[in-house]
Amino acid sequence: MRPRKPDSSVAVIDIGSNSVRLVVYEALERSLVSVFNEKASCGLGREVQSTGLLASDAITKALTSLRRFHALCKVMKISRVHAIATAACRDATNGADFIAQAERICGVTIEILPGPQEAYLAALGVVSSVHKPNGIVGDLGGGSLELTDVRNHRVGRGITLPLGSLALQDASKKSLKRANSIVKAALADATPLKAGKGRTFYAIGGTWRALARLHIIQSGYPLRVMHGYSIPAADALDFVRRLRRLVASDMLADIEVVAEARQPLLTYAALVLEHIIRIAKPKAIVFSTYGVREGLLYSMLPATDRSRDGLICAAQTLNGLLSRSACHAEELIEWTDRLFRTLKLKETEDDRRLRHTACLLSDIGWRIHPDYRSEQTLSLIMNGNFVSIDHQGRAFVALSVYYRYAGLSEANAPSPVVSELVTSPMDESARILGAAFRVAHLISAAQPGVLSATQFKSSGRKLTLVFEHRLVDLVADRVGGRFKQLARLVGRSGSIVLR
């Protein structure tokens, strides 16, 4: 980890209806990196619907956790602490008294978020972490469900409904039949859902993530990264129906992967998602690990920072931390830009941003033992803390860098587990990009100021790499061999000349 600048870290204390959590981020920046994350399952909202009160034992647990969180912030020397509370505290008649006690412990003002504000911040969490989102954001907590329409950076007016898993369990008196009627009635006039047909539903919240975790395991999906995990809506509908039956009959396999406190809530979360899919008719369910906390911090950034690409920012950070020369990676972007223009290779805007991301990450494995660079960098990128990229995009970037280290021999083919996430054309593009990296890094030794002295020329089926005369001593048979390999991948013959 890079040394933390004094006073750079920022913490968020999130007092939710089900759990109380402290998350410490390395800095308030476009690409958030959490350095500490702890939650305590307190169940503050488990009786609010029936009694109107936060349960006394839950208050005791929450205050105890907040004392620890305050002590941790002092130990970690966190000067900026933001604290928020959601549905349980705003709905309970003793919520204000609890917050007053909590503020004395934490030493900061705790903002009780109104429902629409909670919906807005949850939507901002998705805006900050999904590339060009288009759909309905649903944030399912313990006490409430927030629904908000998002299109790129535009956030619609959100609504809040008392359909959180704990609230639904309480209001229905643990009757699934009664819970079904409550959900059906509450969602019947949910305005945001009416515009959901054929779009994406972005699911936020710990219990929905637990559903996704079960789906990943039961489907044998090769990647365990939760953010960006996508399920076609028809498959998700079938899964939640089956899940409700299995939970009801206590026959669910792999239940141990779900936190014990969340297990009783699974069926309520599944019920809400089932009704949402039926009403909104989305094309896919995409799970987001970014929500209210991240949306809150995103809202504090200057407009210029909010407009930056979260994926590129994360890749630039990792490039600066792990590459031999951060400047070289930026030059590599320009070098591959010239290569792709010369070859007239077709790219979409998203293809280009993935290529640029791969350039930024192309040298992050240099400290690893040579025998393991390809495997370790593949794993690092596949499982890295990246946002604004889907799982297929992760696989493409990871494969591009993998081929840069492993070479293009069939004997060094990557694991089928990764390859199955991309299409054949994407794998071929990753091979071309990896071959280009092998040429570029061999020429320059990953040092800046070299690649800019080379140019590409194309004539018919011939591709030429032109070196400025001052680089004559860098030209060697090995460089020529790798360039010819790259040229063959794009259907050309390759040669090197001096200018």
Side-chain angles (χ1 to χ4, degrees):
M1 184 190 303
R2 57 183 166 178
R4 185 156 52 91
K5 297 178 182 178
D7 301 327
S8 65
S9 296
V10 59
V12 178
I13 295 173
D14 183 355
I15 303 173
S17 302
N18 190 29
S19 60
V20 176
R21 187 184 293 267
L22 168 68
V23 185
V24 179
Y25 300 90
E26 189 176 32
L28 178 59
E29 54 192 3
R30 180 63 182 88
S31 176
L32 291 173
V33 178
S34 64
V35 296
F36 185 84
N37 189 329
E38 182 177 311
K39 74 168 184 178
S41 297
C42 301
L44 280 169
R46 72 170 189 269
E47 298 175 2
V48 171
Q49 293 298 311
S50 57
T51 69
L53 298 170
L54 305 175
S56 58
D57 63 324
I59 289 175
T60 300
K61 286 182 181 179
L63 294 177
T64 299
S65 298
L66 292 174
R67 288 188 186 93
R68 170 171 163 76
F69 293 168
H70 178 61
L72 284 167
C73 287
K74 290 172 65 177
V75 167
M76 299 178 74
K77 298 180 173 59
I78 310 299
S79 61
R80 291 181 295 172
V81 179
H82 304 279
I84 56 175
T86 52
C89 293
R90 69 172 173 257
D91 294 341
T93 55
N94 61 343
D97 290 338
F98 164 74
I99 290 298
Q101 295 180 69
E103 287 181 334
R104 286 194 291 272
I105 289 171
C106 296
V108 297
T109 300
I110 299 172
E111 182 181 4
I112 303 177
L113 298 177
Q117 178 70 0
E118 184 179 357
Y120 174 72
L121 293 179
L124 280 189
V126 169
V127 168
S128 74
S129 62
V130 175
H131 185 54
K132 295 184 177 180
N134 180 11
I136 311 301
V137 174
D139 183 5
L140 182 73
S144 62
L145 167 70
E146 281 70 45
L147 296 170
T148 314
D149 192 295
V150 295
R151 296 175 188 266
N152 293 330
H153 285 78
R154 296 193 301 275
V155 177
R157 184 176 181 180
I159 65 171
T160 185
L161 301 168
L163 297 180
S165 301
L166 280 176
L168 192 53
Q169 183 185 55
D170 184 25
S172 67
K173 297 180 172 57
K174 298 185 179 181
S175 164
L176 291 180
K177 184 176 181 180
R178 191 176 292 116
N180 185 70
S181 298
I182 293 171
V183 174
K184 185 177 180 180
L187 292 179
D189 296 320
T191 304
L193 296 183
K194 296 176 182 178
K197 187 175 182 180
R199 299 166 72 201
T200 299
F201 182 78
Y202 300 99
I204 301 172
T207 311
W208 271 343
R209 288 196 299 273
L211 293 180
R213 190 173 297 110
L214 285 171
H215 189 272
I216 285 173
I217 291 171
Q218 293 188 353
S219 65
Y221 187 74
L223 187 60
R224 297 296 175 91
V225 174
M226 192 62 59
H227 187 75
Y229 181 59
S230 179
I231 310 175
D235 293 349
L237 183 60
D238 178 68
F239 174 71
V240 293
R241 285 172 177 166
R242 182 162 42 88
L243 180 68
R244 290 209 295 123
R245 291 195 300 269
L246 291 173
V247 171
S249 58
D250 198 26
M251 293 174 59
L252 182 62
D254 300 313
I255 192 69
E256 65 273 7
V257 304
V258 178
E260 185 177 352
R262 292 203 188 275
Q263 291 178 15
L265 306 179
L266 284 175
T267 188
Y268 298 99
L271 178 63
V272 173
L273 187 55
E274 179 179 338
H275 278 275
I276 286 173
I277 295 172
R278 287 178 178 277
I279 295 169
K281 296 179 175 57
K283 67 177 180 181
I285 312 300
V286 172
F287 295 87
S288 172
T289 59
Y290 277 48
V292 171
R293 291 182 297 274
E294 293 76 19
L296 174 69
L297 297 182
Y298 179 76
S299 71
M300 298 176 182
L301 291 172
T304 52
D305 286 351
R306 290 198 303 270
S307 66
R308 296 174 66 196
D309 188 320
L311 173 62
I312 297 298
C313 288
Q316 287 172 334
T317 297
L318 207 56
N319 173 41
L321 287 170
L322 300 180
S323 299
R324 283 171 286 185
S325 167
C327 292
H328 177 267
E330 298 289 349
E331 291 180 2
L332 182 58
I333 289 175
E334 298 176 1
W335 193 80
T336 58
D337 282 345
R338 297 199 302 271
L339 173 63
F340 275 54
R341 283 197 301 268
T342 300
L343 292 172
K344 295 182 172 59
L345 296 178
K346 293 182 179 179
E347 281 186 307
T348 64
E349 178 188 346
D350 200 44
D351 292 336
R352 188 175 302 109
R353 68 190 288 269
L354 291 179
R355 172 168 59 82
H356 289 181
T357 301
C359 290
L360 291 167
L361 301 179
S362 65
D363 197 44
I364 62 173
W366 73 274
R367 287 184 180 272
I368 301 170
H369 188 283
D371 292 348
Y372 301 101
R373 283 175 185 161
S374 57
E375 296 174 11
Q376 293 296 316
T377 52
L378 183 76
S379 177
L380 179 59
I381 295 170
M382 289 298 293
N383 298 289
N385 185 30
F386 300 111
V387 296
S388 301
I389 186 171
D390 59 19
H391 286 192
Q392 188 177 66
R394 278 179 181 267
F396 171 80
V397 172
L399 285 171
S400 299
V401 182
Y402 175 89
Y403 288 129
R404 171 259 198 272
Y405 284 118
L408 307 176
S409 168
E410 291 297 327
N412 296 329
S415 167
V417 166
V418 178
S419 297
E420 70 182 53
L421 290 175
V422 298
T423 62
S424 293
M426 287 185 75
D427 182 69
E428 186 60 31
S429 294
R431 289 171 64 85
I432 292 170
L433 191 53
F437 291 162
R438 289 172 64 76
V439 175
H441 282 282
L442 185 61
I443 292 170
S444 64
Q447 297 305 304
V450 178
L451 293 180
S452 58
T454 65
Q455 301 295 328
F456 300 100
K457 289 187 177 180
S458 178
S459 177
R461 307 306 299 173
K462 186 175 181 179
L463 179 66
T464 304
L465 179 59
V466 182
F467 280 73
E468 290 184 6
H469 195 270
R470 65 184 177 88
L471 301 181
V472 59
D473 291 334
L474 292 180
V475 179
D477 289 345
R478 194 170 180 220
V479 175
R482 285 194 178 180
F483 185 68
K484 288 177 180 178
Q485 184 183 48
L486 168 62
R488 284 195 298 271
L489 286 176
V490 294
R492 310 289 179 93
S493 62
S495 63
I496 292 176
V497 300
L498 294 175
R499 185 169 61 192

